[in-house]
Amino acid sequence: MLALALRSIRKRPGRFTATLLSAFLGAAILMMFNSLHDTAGQPGVDSRSAESLSTAASVVGGYGSLLVFFAVASTLTVNVRQRTSEIELLRCSGATPAQIKRMVVGESMAVALVGALLAIGPAMLGGRALLDIFQDSGQVKMSVEYSFGSTALMSGVGITALAAAGAAFLAVRRATRGRQQRGGARKFLAYATLALGGVSASSTFAFSAKDAALMAPAAYGAILLSVGFALFAPRLLGGLLDLLPLSGPSGYLAVRNMRRRAAELSGVLMPLILFTGIATATLYMQGVESDAIKASGVPKSIDAKNLETLNLVVVGIIVAFSCIMLINSLYAATTYRAREFGGQRLAGATPNQVLGMVGVEGLILTVTGVFLGTVAAIAGIVPFTLVRTESVRPDQGLGIWLSVVAVAATVTLGTVLVTARRALRTPAVEAVVLAA
């Protein structure tokens, strides 16, 4: 089956572009931050510099591993669902579910390894830039030299390959099993993740206002809740569609298609929810922390500077990563629908009605993703703010949230509309024939 996997990649490399990009970006982030472990472990590095570098690498190691898995999972879910007909043909030709799983997992691991190897150079440049940031802020001595070693390399390649294998196995497992058997494992994982997220966020109350680790449980709680909501996205999206009073051809087509593709759209909602939840929670909590330190009149300590730099750098990278994954998933999902758009046009829909349908779908996705991400963020922000300032609501106002929503809406609507418009340039008959 390995030979079949490699032949499939060579025959249609375009279908693996999204997975390659996910693996490349994920491995780059992991290696970039884990190279700080290699740098901290060099002989002659002072304890303060080593602590600052190790803290940054450890925190992002947890964030990064989780994000890499779900980023790769979202793109692979879209990819496998687009290949339902091909998988069914292989089964009818005599291939067993185990053989199909080995083929898809082999494809995914091969593409992931290529992406991870391509990420080594950018990761080295990014790690050196991170070290410069820490040195410029005084958290690491200027005499510390950058090092990219085995910790960075093994973590980036290993975690990315494992994430690709695990995500591919789960995606193809759903595709090769009967409909009546689906959903049990996903539901259990969703409930477990939501429970862990709630416990993590609630554990913030066990810390004191000046505890250096106060932000950690609230941040992890927001992330875990975002992941849990993302796993429940198909069901939540279906419930929302039942409440929407949409009318007209575009509204009717949008609701009908989204009900049919609710499971597939979960791969798109995942990065949108993660982006909204992580960006909103981290930016608000850092704002609360900075205002609390300023109000105390005490100069920022090295630890406080370290935390602020880490949060801003991490949220910037994670936000960029989530945005790219969102664009990646939306592009892959929308490009694949060229045949569907052609069929709708042959059935009597005008190009503007199809484009309107895609716009309504994008709007519904945006509202759903922003709402769920905001709920997850609030679950982390409120406990942190209450412990840190004895106030339930942060003083930063709606500016940060509106900025996050604006980015989410621009990325989601912009990507689906531009991609759909491009697909509609192909004549309807040609689109149906070529995609068949």
Side-chain angles (χ1 to χ4, degrees):
M1 297 307 289
L2 179 60
L4 182 59
L6 294 176
R7 185 161 59 249
S8 176
I9 294 173
R10 286 195 295 267
K11 183 179 178 181
R12 299 186 66 180
R15 68 159 52 140
F16 300 101
T17 302
T19 304
L20 180 65
L21 181 58
S22 299
F24 172 81
L25 292 171
I29 290 177
L30 289 174
M31 289 189 286
M32 181 170 62
F33 279 94
N34 278 294
S35 68
L36 300 182
H37 276 308
D38 293 315
T39 303
Q42 292 183 99
V45 177
D46 64 285
S47 59
R48 171 61 71 178
S49 297
E51 182 182 358
S52 297
L53 293 170
S54 297
T55 299
S58 299
V59 171
V60 179
Y63 280 102
S65 300
L66 191 64
L67 288 173
V68 167
F69 177 82
F70 281 100
V72 174
S74 65
T75 53
L76 281 173
T77 298
V78 173
N79 180 282
V80 172
R81 289 187 183 280
Q82 290 173 352
R83 301 171 63 185
T84 303
S85 299
E86 176 188 340
I87 291 173
E88 190 62 31
L89 179 60
L90 288 173
R91 293 184 65 184
C92 293
S93 302
T96 65
Q99 290 174 325
I100 296 173
K101 288 174 187 175
R102 287 198 295 270
M103 181 193 73
V104 175
V105 170
E107 292 172 354
S108 303
M109 288 194 67
V111 173
L113 287 173
V114 172
L117 293 176
L118 292 174
I120 292 176
M124 294 176 68
L125 295 175
R128 191 177 297 277
L130 282 175
L131 178 60
D132 291 340
I133 291 173
F134 281 101
Q135 288 176 330
D136 291 341
S137 64
Q139 300 160 58
V140 176
K141 287 188 176 180
M142 299 299 294
S143 59
V144 175
E145 295 290 336
Y146 177 70
S147 175
F148 187 95
S150 59
T151 302
L153 187 61
M154 296 304 294
S155 64
V157 175
I159 292 175
T160 303
L162 287 175
F169 178 81
L170 292 176
V172 75
R173 183 172 178 266
R174 289 192 295 269
T176 54
R177 295 180 68 180
R179 183 175 297 274
Q180 70 276 8
Q181 296 176 295
R182 299 178 186 173
R186 184 189 186 101
K187 187 184 298 184
F188 173 79
L189 182 59
Y191 279 122
T193 306
L194 288 174
L196 288 173
V199 170
S200 181
S202 300
S203 67
T204 305
F205 294 108
F207 292 81
S208 64
K210 296 184 179 180
D211 199 311
L214 175 63
M215 196 180 296
Y220 275 112
I223 292 175
L224 288 171
L225 288 170
S226 297
V227 171
F229 287 141
L231 291 171
F232 265 130
R235 181 173 298 184
L236 295 170
L237 182 61
L240 176 64
L241 291 173
D242 292 335
L243 301 175
L244 292 178
L246 296 177
S247 60
S250 296
Y252 169 78
L253 288 172
V255 172
R256 178 179 178 278
N257 282 322
M258 293 188 77
R259 282 202 182 100
R260 181 173 55 85
R261 299 172 55 242
E264 179 183 332
L265 290 173
S266 62
V268 175
L269 276 174
M270 192 174 292
L272 179 57
I273 295 171
L274 288 173
F275 163 74
T276 305
I278 294 173
T280 303
T282 308
L283 291 174
Y284 270 106
M285 286 191 285
Q286 182 55 55
V288 170
E289 177 67 19
S290 298
D291 287 349
I293 294 175
K294 185 177 180 180
S296 67
V298 179
K300 286 186 179 180
S301 64
I302 293 295
D303 289 336
K305 290 181 178 179
N306 191 9
L307 181 63
E308 182 177 11
T309 302
L310 179 61
N311 281 333
L312 294 177
V313 170
V314 168
V315 77
I317 292 175
I318 290 176
V319 164
F321 179 68
S322 300
C323 273
I324 293 173
M325 288 303 97
L326 177 59
I327 294 171
N328 201 19
S329 299
L330 286 168
Y331 179 82
T334 308
T335 301
Y336 176 75
R337 299 174 65 188
R339 183 182 184 183
E340 175 191 335
F341 296 157
Q344 289 169 346
R345 290 160 64 190
L346 290 176
T350 66
N352 285 336
Q353 287 173 336
V354 175
L355 198 61
M357 173 198 73
V358 173
V360 173
E361 291 178 357
L363 183 60
I364 295 173
L365 282 176
T366 302
V367 171
T368 305
V370 166
F371 174 74
L372 295 176
T374 301
V375 171
I378 290 174
I381 294 170
V382 171
F384 175 81
T385 306
L386 192 58
V387 173
R388 190 69 177 91
T389 66
E390 299 184 352
S391 174
V392 175
R393 189 179 63 182
D395 295 331
Q396 281 67 36
L398 293 176
I400 294 175
W401 181 77
L402 290 174
S403 299
V404 172
V405 172
V407 173
T410 301
V411 169
T412 304
L413 293 173
T415 302
V416 296
L417 289 175
V418 169
T419 308
R421 186 179 293 276
R422 180 180 177 184
L424 289 171
R425 292 175 182 170
T426 305
V429 174
E430 184 178 341
V432 172
V433 172
L434 290 177

